[in-house]
Amino acid sequence: MLTHTTTRVLEPSDLGAALAVLESEPVANAFVTSRVQIAGLDPWRLGGEMWGWYADGRLRSLCYSGANLVPICAGPEAVRAFADRARRAGRRCSSIVGPAEPTAELWRLLEPGWGPAREVRANQPLMVTESPSADVEPDPLVRRVRKDEMDILMPACVDMFTEEVGVSPLAGDGGLLYQARVAELIGAGRSFARIDDGKVVFKAEIGATTPQACQIQGVWVAPEYRGRGLSETGMAAVLRYALADVAPVVSLYVNDYNTPARKAYRRIGFRETGTFMSVLF
């Protein structure tokens, strides 16, 4: 018996069905879930379209198409359908990111038309914890960044982004969107740093948040302070805030070649539970 499948752009009335798919994998989908819970499915508020793949009339898979292209709970058939739609629309995203298997297949199908990529990070371990390790004492000097400290924090954010992504966030619009995002996280109380004598020596943010899980991002230590264990004690402090104030599960993903970071995260209680992949344009 043949399965009838369709793919279409979801509408605001599809919100309940979309959230059911997203919440079936609350940790892996935290980034997109957090956006949908705030903005719904209206493309203007969401910052992109949400594509849905249906099998026999039931919504089974999603793909967020905005600044990032993100396959969600997508098997091979859904990935092919999303690739066809993306190919027809043309590349509008700056990256493809998501669980490694569907992301790799999506890129395999899109690369002939969209390639080459600036960089492919095929193995980014997804790390998760529900409780901090007792082996690392949180840095008592790591705290929430105040709104009046935006100018102090911003250079560290730019350095982190440039070092991690390989391009400056100030390119294009002069950094207006990036500055707005940094300000948003500070205003929400989700930006953390240790600031010594007016200089950021450690920083991190709690980016995506849902009632089920949250995601730490933007971890950075000033170059001259590296090798002193500040990433461990700083992250232990951020993890304490995240578990106490935000969600019962905390996640992050890291490049596989960043051995010191993976070791530090394991020391403070994270374990590797899956693999993400990023294709950067």
Side-chain angles (χ1 to χ4, degrees):
M1 182 177 178
L2 294 177
T3 299
H4 177 67
T5 64
T6 58
T7 307
R8 66 176 177 86
V9 177
L10 298 187
E11 301 175 353
S13 59
D14 299 308
L15 179 60
L19 285 172
V21 174
L22 288 164
E23 292 168 358
S24 68
E25 297 181 12
V27 175
N29 297 335
F31 167 69
V32 176
T33 304
S34 65
R35 295 182 67 96
V36 171
Q37 288 179 337
I38 293 170
L41 295 176
D42 178 81
W44 288 102
R45 296 186 61 212
L46 186 60
E49 295 179 339
M50 185 70 77
W51 303 339
W53 182 79
Y54 290 78
D56 292 331
R58 180 182 173 187
L59 183 62
R60 303 295 182 93
S61 302
L62 305 170
C63 187
Y64 173 71
S65 177
N68 315 105
L69 189 67
V70 187
I72 300 156
C73 301
E77 193 172 354
V79 168
R80 287 194 295 273
F82 294 143
D84 288 342
R85 179 174 285 272
R87 196 182 298 111
R88 290 194 303 269
R91 185 175 71 82
R92 303 172 183 173
C93 60
S94 60
S95 68
I96 306 172
V97 60
E101 187 173 346
T103 302
E105 178 62 11
L106 187 58
W107 176 232
R108 185 186 71 81
L109 295 169
L110 291 174
E111 185 177 11
W114 284 18
R118 179 169 55 84
E119 185 177 357
V120 176
R121 299 177 181 179
N123 183 5
Q124 297 177 299
L126 174 66
M127 306 186 76
V128 174
T129 187
E130 298 87 11
S131 60
S133 168
D135 294 338
V136 179
E137 190 68 23
D139 186 342
L141 298 180
V142 171
R143 57 173 176 80
R144 283 185 167 91
V145 177
R146 301 191 307 267
K147 292 180 180 179
D148 63 356
E149 295 173 316
M150 173 80 175
D151 289 343
I152 296 174
L153 182 68
M154 191 65 190
C157 292
V158 171
D159 287 349
M160 178 282 303
F161 188 99
T162 304
E163 184 177 329
E164 172 64 21
V165 180
V167 297
S168 172
L170 304 182
D173 66 352
L176 293 178
L177 285 175
Y178 188 66
Q179 291 180 53
R181 177 57 176 164
V182 172
E184 177 187 353
L185 290 171
I186 292 174
R190 305 208 311 264
S191 179
F192 299 85
R194 173 173 169 172
I195 302 173
D196 292 353
D197 297 323
K199 177 180 176 60
V200 174
V201 300
F202 167 87
K203 75 156 205 75
E205 296 89 38
I206 302 173
T209 63
T210 75
Q212 294 78 31
C214 66
Q215 189 176 90
I216 294 176
Q217 64 181 38
V219 182
W220 183 84
V221 176
E224 63 270 31
Y225 288 85
R226 293 174 187 176
R228 305 184 188 182
L230 288 176
S231 62
E232 294 183 6
T233 58
M235 278 291 288
V238 178
L239 177 59
R240 179 186 60 188
Y241 282 111
L243 289 170
D245 300 341
V246 183
V249 179
V250 181
S251 71
L252 56 83
Y253 61 95
V254 60
N255 294 314
D256 62 329
Y257 53 78
N258 194 344
T259 303
R262 293 170 69 182
K263 182 178 179 181
Y265 298 153
R266 284 194 292 267
R267 280 202 66 206
I268 64 174
F270 284 90
R271 63 189 185 279
E272 296 182 7
T273 62
T275 307
F276 268 45
M277 174 176 172
S278 298
V279 180
L280 308 178
F281 299 105

